[in-house]
Amino acid sequence: MTNRLLSPRNALLSAGSFVALMFLFAVAKELVFPAAMERAMGVLFGLYFVIFGNVLPKSSSSEGLCRPSRRQATLRFSGWIFVLMGLAYATVWIVLPIEQASRLTFWILLPAGLLVLGRSLWVFTSCRSARQDGTTESLAAVDVSRR
Amino acid sequence: MNKVFKALADPTRRRVLELLRDGPMAAGELAEHFDVSKPTMSAHFAILREADLIDAEKQGRTVTYRLKLSVLEDALVMLAGAVGLGIERKGARAPRTNRATKLRGHA
């Protein structure tokens, strides 16, 4: 089921429907219930992160140049961060007053983004330096000896 | 979701998922951790694959399994471990008994 969710066609469809939904909310916000629509947009944005983060670790495959175990660990880490961030984001928009919620949004997105980016960069650079040092066989040997 | 719960209901399958957290492993390597026959182990792998919790890749004669858990499924496995539903502690391993040692014991 998740494989189907992660297919390029379905990814485009879900991204398109998300943008369309946000656009509808933005229009509705201008016309009626501005506060409620702004709150709903915040919750929807948070839920989008939850759904994306939840399926992210399933997308891992052994293809590619990096060590499979490290790729798997990074995708799991990023998935958990996105899910927790999305839950925090949605909760903030449900519970707090709108002014406080919009201020807090930045402080939820920033650390989560930095954590995921930092971890991904660390994996990328360590894989690149390992590739420069040796062959994929030596990478696999390191991977096995790690266990 | 029913298939996922069925797959997580068994302690051996949950232990397989725990082992795969460290990275992809070959079927034989995984089977070494359990005191069960190869057909039983294959049945466990089949149930986990059916639930889409693991992925198999065949390279020559070796089948390598890798974890394919969503965050929700990961949380369910951790919850099952936390409440002690039959998952052994990390590093702990049931002693393997084979026919030879059994026979020696009876001699």
Side-chain angles (χ1 to χ4, degrees), chain A residues 87-140:
Chain A
L87 285 174
Y89 196 101
T91 310
V92 156
W93 277 99
I94 291 168
V95 175
L96 293 180
I98 288 174
E99 294 78 32
Q100 282 183 33
S102 27
R103 249 182 286 132
L104 213 67
T105 293
F106 174 75
W107 295 108
I108 294 172
L109 288 174
L110 184 74
L114 285 177
L115 276 171
V116 171
L117 194 70
R119 175 88 185 225
S120 306
L121 277 174
W122 174 69
V123 170
F124 177 74
T125 48
S126 63
C127 281
R128 205 172 65 167
S129 59
R131 267 204 313 278
Q132 283 166 354
D133 292 345
T135 59
T136 41
E137 281 81 10
S138 68
L139 285 174

Side-chain angles (χ1 to χ4, degrees), chain B residues 2-71:
Chain B
N2 225 1
K3 283 178 184 172
V4 173
F5 284 118
K6 185 192 164 191
L8 295 181
D10 186 87
T12 306
R13 291 196 284 270
R14 288 201 301 270
R15 181 83 180 114
V16 169
L17 297 175
E18 287 278 314
L19 289 167
L20 287 175
R21 276 208 177 126
D22 295 335
M25 283 172 102
E29 207 179 338
L30 273 169
E32 277 174 16
H33 289 82
F34 302 94
D35 196 20
V36 291
S37 64
K38 281 188 177 176
T40 312
M41 214 55 218
S42 297
H44 283 310
F45 291 144
I47 292 169
L48 286 169
R49 279 183 71 180
E50 205 185 331
D52 205 26
L53 299 179
I54 59 169
D55 204 11
E57 195 180 315
K58 202 167 181 181
Q59 290 167 328
R61 291 178 65 185
T62 313
V63 181
T64 307
Y65 290 101
R66 70 171 184 85
L67 204 62
K68 207 180 163 195
L69 292 178
S70 69
V71 173

